Amino acid sequence: MAQETSGYLLKLGAGIGINTVIDVGSNAYLVIDPGPDGIYAKKIIETLSNSEKDIQTKRLVLVNTVARPEHVLANSSLSKKNTIIYATKITQANMKARCPNCRKRLAAQLENKQILSNPLKIPNSIIPSGSFLSEFPNWQVFEYAGRTESDLALWNSKTRTLYAGGLAYQNSILDLSDGDSISWLSAITQLLDLNPDIVIGVGYGKVKSSNQILWDTKNYLENLRNSARQDFLSGGDAASADKCCKLEQYNSRPGYQSRHSLNIQHVWREIEQEEMNK
């Protein structure tokens, strides 16, 4: 696993950290979520070359798990003309529609104008949920809706390693802006059923032999929904819900100040719609 540790990505927000998974085979190497730009991608290859001297002679296979710029805009910095880039159909479509604007926003956030000149490389191979990567058959993919409308998780049953991507937040408050809490909780339940030994998500911190970050994400979502429902049923309103749903046990986590109140508003509206539809 490759993790940015210099603080370059801190401008994206508190607790945001992209964890890239790399698997090296005899003739090819796999990169899951190559990151935001050429700076990140170059560092991956430089670091990898220290232990894999012949990495430049191997064929690259890329996987984009979600249409989020910090995960995928480094495609063009790593790939060649015939590089296979796997993604779901929804992620491919969303990247075609959103990448030009996402590139502008990311360049501004990271204060790196060079990102604007990077060509966009859209995934060229659709991979169905439940299938295995043909070049790396130990990795099976599962598509969920949760953090976004299409989130791809990769499962290696041989090593019992799960790449959960943005479905699992480590040591930080998750971002529900594009998500659905019920679908997200369903996805986490299914991932926990795999009984992984190692779970790699997003966020800073050393990855441990544990599935604790799945439980942490699940517990936060459940606590958030429970407090929002209680506030709704007691006659509260969305405008003041953040005063009743503080969940102060999480206030020391990165992202609490910037994202928690927005998550409250998001979930409160979900609860309101659910109750009205009963």
Side-chain angles (χ1 to χ4, degrees), residues 23-127:
D23 192 353
V24 179
S26 55
N27 299 309
Y29 68 106
L30 170 69
V31 176
I32 304 171
D33 285 353
D37 60 20
I39 294 175
Y40 182 97
K42 181 181 179 181
K43 194 64 178 177
I44 286 177
I45 297 304
E46 287 178 352
T47 304
L48 188 57
S49 297
N50 292 332
S51 57
E52 301 286 342
K53 303 300 183 183
D54 59 346
I55 196 66
Q56 297 289 1
T57 67
K58 297 180 186 290
R59 183 165 54 95
L60 170 64
V61 176
L62 286 172
V63 176
N64 290 169
T65 67
V66 66
R68 295 283 293 246
E70 66 270 22
H71 287 253
V72 302
L73 285 188
N75 280 352
S76 60
S77 300
L78 285 178
S79 62
K80 298 179 181 178
K81 182 178 180 180
N82 297 321
T83 298
I84 294 175
I85 308 176
Y86 289 109
T88 67
K89 186 175 182 179
I90 293 174
T91 292
Q92 183 193 59
N94 285 344
M95 287 178 64
K96 286 180 180 178
R98 300 172 185 172
C99 272
N101 286 332
C102 288
R103 180 173 56 182
K104 293 177 184 177
R105 186 171 70 251
L106 189 71
Q109 287 177 302
L110 294 179
E111 300 175 0
N112 179 6
K113 293 182 179 179
Q114 290 184 349
I115 293 175
L116 295 174
S117 62
N118 286 352
L120 299 174
K121 198 71 176 286
I122 305 301
N124 53 27
S125 187
I126 303 302
I127 188 160

Side-chain angles (χ1 to χ4, degrees), residues 11-30:
K11 295 170 185 175
L12 297 179
I16 298 295
I18 310 305
N19 298 319
T20 298
V21 171
I22 303 167
D23 192 353
V24 179
S26 55
N27 299 309
Y29 68 106
L30 170 69

